[in-house]
Amino acid sequence: MNAKFLKMDIAGYPIFNTTSRTLCEILTGKLRDSQQCVLLFANSNFVVNCRDYIEWLCSDPVLIINDGIAMDIAARIVHGEKFKENLNGTDFCPAFLGALKSPHKIFLVGGRPGVAEQAGEVIRQKYGHNVVGCADGFEQIRSESLYSQINSSGAEIVLVALGNPKQEGWISRHCSLLDAKLIIGVGALFDFLSGNIQRAPMWVRHIRVEWLYRLSLEPKRLAKRYTVDIVYFIYLAIKYRGKKADYVSQLR
């Protein structure tokens, strides 16, 4: 069975327009059929900072999904329509782990020392999966044998939490070396799962201003992202304005 996605090009990136339910079905099918897939979530920060990897990002087995209100704004500017659903990784990844009907082996890469282990314990207890290993985003990720460690663990899913563009760079260099069938760039997910960073209240997320909540918590780190980089993001979206969205087929 083939599933059709509506693809919208944003600033030269092919962003697939789908729903969380359909995306869960696609990823579950790839795990079942042993087809490797790299899942990435594109927000304005991704678009601005991952351009060094754009050739790889436009190739198989990469699947890029929209994340955040800035992507909807760009989609309206370029294509005259918004995405079907906001599929940020912080919400989608836990939902996907919860939707899997059987336990899977998962390896966590990234975060400060100890954070991946804390997140892994939440994944074990709440979602029933087997976390077979962790590597922090500092000393442990520098190990030249990390990919061998991941393969030896039997991991089927690898979650990479290094932030843009570091996680995309790491995945691009290592995905062909990994036996895991699903590799997901998850940004700050480990911090949220572990409780080291608090999510915005639900009503703030509902009106889609979680970015403003995060800016209030980390103004020095995020100020440039939500000012200068947003302007550059809109510039890129207009500069690389492509054809009207077209339908493409993506195997399960």
Side-chain angles (χ1 to χ4, degrees), residues 111-112 115 119 161 187-198:
R112 297 185 302 279
V115 172
L189 179 64
F190 297 172
D191 285 319
F192 290 125
L193 286 178
S194 65
N196 287 291
I197 296 179
Q198 295 298 315

Side-chain angles (χ1 to χ4, degrees), residues 3-229:
K4 285 190 173 181
F5 288 89
L6 182 65
K7 182 182 72 171
M8 288 202 265
D9 293 330
I10 303 293
Y13 298 91
I15 314 297
F16 288 90
N17 185 11
T18 187
T19 65
S20 57
R21 179 178 177 178
T22 299
L23 184 56
C24 280
E25 292 173 355
I26 295 299
L27 298 179
T28 301
K30 286 185 177 294
L31 283 171
R32 183 184 61 246
D33 299 338
S34 296
Q35 298 178 19
Q36 190 179 70
C37 177
V38 173
L39 178 66
L40 301 172
F41 297 87
N43 55 21
S44 59
N45 189 57
F46 174 102
V47 169
V48 169
N49 291 304
C50 292
R51 303 199 71 78
D52 287 346
Y53 306 105
I54 195 165
E55 184 175 352
W56 171 73
L57 290 166
C58 292
S59 66
D60 289 335
V62 180
L63 184 62
I64 309 175
I65 306 298
N66 62 293
D67 172 4
I69 194 169
M71 296 298 287
D72 271 344
I73 293 171
R76 285 195 178 278
I77 291 172
V78 176
H79 299 290
E81 58 184 292
K82 67 176 185 177
F83 288 95
K84 292 179 180 179
E85 188 177 332
N86 179 37
L87 291 171
N88 70 82
T90 306
D91 290 324
F92 175 80
C93 289
F96 171 65
L97 293 178
L100 290 170
K101 297 186 183 302
S102 60
H104 285 71
K105 295 180 179 180
I106 302 177
F107 199 105
L108 277 57
V109 177
R112 297 185 302 279
V115 172
E117 285 81 1
Q118 292 172 343
E121 192 57 33
V122 173
I123 291 172
R124 287 189 189 97
Q125 293 184 5
K126 189 171 183 178
Y127 303 106
H129 296 291
N130 183 12
V131 177
V132 293
C134 298
D136 67 48
F138 291 82
E139 291 300 322
Q140 292 174 345
I141 200 172
R142 297 191 181 101
S143 171
E144 294 182 359
S145 62
L146 178 55
Y147 77 90
S148 297
Q149 180 185 346
I150 295 171
N151 288 340
S152 296
S153 75
E156 303 160 272
I157 301 172
V158 179
L159 305 182
V160 184
L162 298 171
N164 312 124
K166 190 175 180 181
Q167 68 189 16
E168 287 74 23
W170 189 89
I171 295 171
S172 71
R173 293 190 298 273
H174 293 87
C175 65
S176 64
L177 302 174
L178 295 175
D179 296 332
K181 297 310 174 188
L182 181 56
I183 306 162
I184 309 178
V186 297
L189 179 64
F190 297 172
D191 285 319
F192 290 125
L193 286 178
S194 65
N196 287 291
I197 296 179
Q198 295 298 315
R199 290 291 303 274
M202 187 59 71
W203 70 268
V204 173
R205 288 182 254 168
H206 182 70
I207 63 174
R208 303 189 70 181
V209 290
E210 187 172 11
W211 64 270
L212 187 58
Y213 178 85
R214 291 192 65 193
L215 178 61
S216 72
L217 296 179
E218 301 180 86
K220 290 184 178 180
R221 187 175 76 85
L222 298 177
K224 180 176 178 291
R225 177 186 299 189
Y226 294 126
T227 54
V228 176
D229 285 356

